[in-house]
Amino acid sequence: MFYKEIFSFIAIAITLAAFIPYIREIFRGTIRPHIFSWVIWGVTTLLIFVAQLEDHGGVGTWPIGVSASITIFIAYLAFIKRADVTITCGDWLFFIAALLSLPLWYWTSDPLWAVILLTAIDVAGFGPTVRKAYQFPYSESLLFFALFTLRNVLVMLALENLTLTTLLFPAVMLVLCILMMAMIAYRRRVLFA
């Protein structure tokens, strides 16, 4: 199963290729990550990584672990740079609901239920970013979401144990990345019309 390691290393390279320019653009001020989304994504991705390891996801989980670490760093950057200071009541609702839901994963003795709950929380984390990107479609990177779409395909190909526990998160993230790209591209066209 050497090819799974190759897929995993390529997925890690794509993860870095997506994050490095994204982080660079944060420092330049052209990308403004929403702190609530990135805190939620960092925590849930880390916990999903642990659950996937427990379900013997093997090398296919490595890119998720790398992603979790970098996502937590971006949450930190969003905080120190005060990248997006526009926080609505809806953003607070998504954030509070996600944080209050986090302990639920702990009480499940089954990694599948943990991944289901954490993936749902991660999806809720998209709420503030979707709202922000809809209003300001140039505040997010199409390339970032395109690279993560490809990354998630490679993660699924690299998984050593193909179960709902290991496949659910990357599959859902793949779909969400495609939807984000479509929404951002649409909004950019509408703004120029």
Side-chain angles (χ1 to χ4, degrees):
M1 295 225 211
F2 180 68
Y3 69 93
K4 291 194 179 278
E5 289 178 2
I6 292 171
F7 286 145
S8 184
F9 286 123
I10 294 170
I12 289 170
I14 291 171
T15 299
L16 295 173
F19 274 129
I20 290 170
Y22 194 88
I23 292 168
R24 184 179 57 241
E25 295 305 314
I26 291 170
F27 281 110
R28 288 184 181 160
T30 55
I31 298 290
R32 297 180 312 271
H34 196 293
I35 188 169
F36 285 3
S37 291
W38 287 91
V39 167
I40 293 165
W41 293 336
V43 172
T44 56
T45 304
L46 180 63
L47 296 174
I48 286 169
F49 169 65
V50 171
Q52 287 177 328
L53 282 177
E54 188 176 318
D55 197 42
H56 310 291
V59 298
T61 64
W62 298 350
I64 303 299
V66 170
S67 184
S69 301
I70 299 170
T71 301
I72 291 167
F73 177 67
I74 291 175
Y76 170 73
L77 288 179
F79 176 74
I80 64 167
K81 304 277 287 166
R82 301 294 193 267
D84 183 7
V85 295
T86 308
I87 298 175
T88 66
C89 288
D91 293 346
W92 276 106
L93 289 175
F94 278 113
F95 187 65
I96 292 168
L99 290 181
L100 291 175
S101 301
L102 279 174
L104 295 175
W105 80 270
Y106 180 76
W107 288 306
T108 66
S109 58
D110 182 357
L112 172 60
W113 283 107
V115 169
I116 289 170
L117 288 169
L118 291 167
T119 300
I121 294 165
D122 209 70
V123 170
F126 269 85
T129 294
V130 167
R131 183 212 35 93
K132 179 184 65 78
Y134 186 84
Q135 289 179 318
F136 308 104
Y138 289 96
S139 71
E140 288 295 338
S141 167
L142 279 173
L143 178 61
F144 178 80
F145 290 106
L147 288 172
F148 265 82
T149 299
L150 177 58
R151 191 283 307 255
N152 285 315
V153 168
L154 291 169
V155 164
M156 290 186 288
L157 292 172
L159 288 168
E160 293 178 18
N161 186 25
L162 299 176
T163 65
L164 190 54
T165 301
T166 60
L167 286 170
L168 181 66
F169 179 73
V172 169
M173 291 306 108
L174 178 130
V175 170
L176 287 174
C177 285
I178 291 170
L179 292 174
M180 281 295 293
M181 287 188 304
M183 188 266 298
I184 291 168
Y186 170 76
R187 289 295 296 157
R188 287 179 180 181
R189 275 196 307 271
V190 166
L191 289 178
F192 275 118

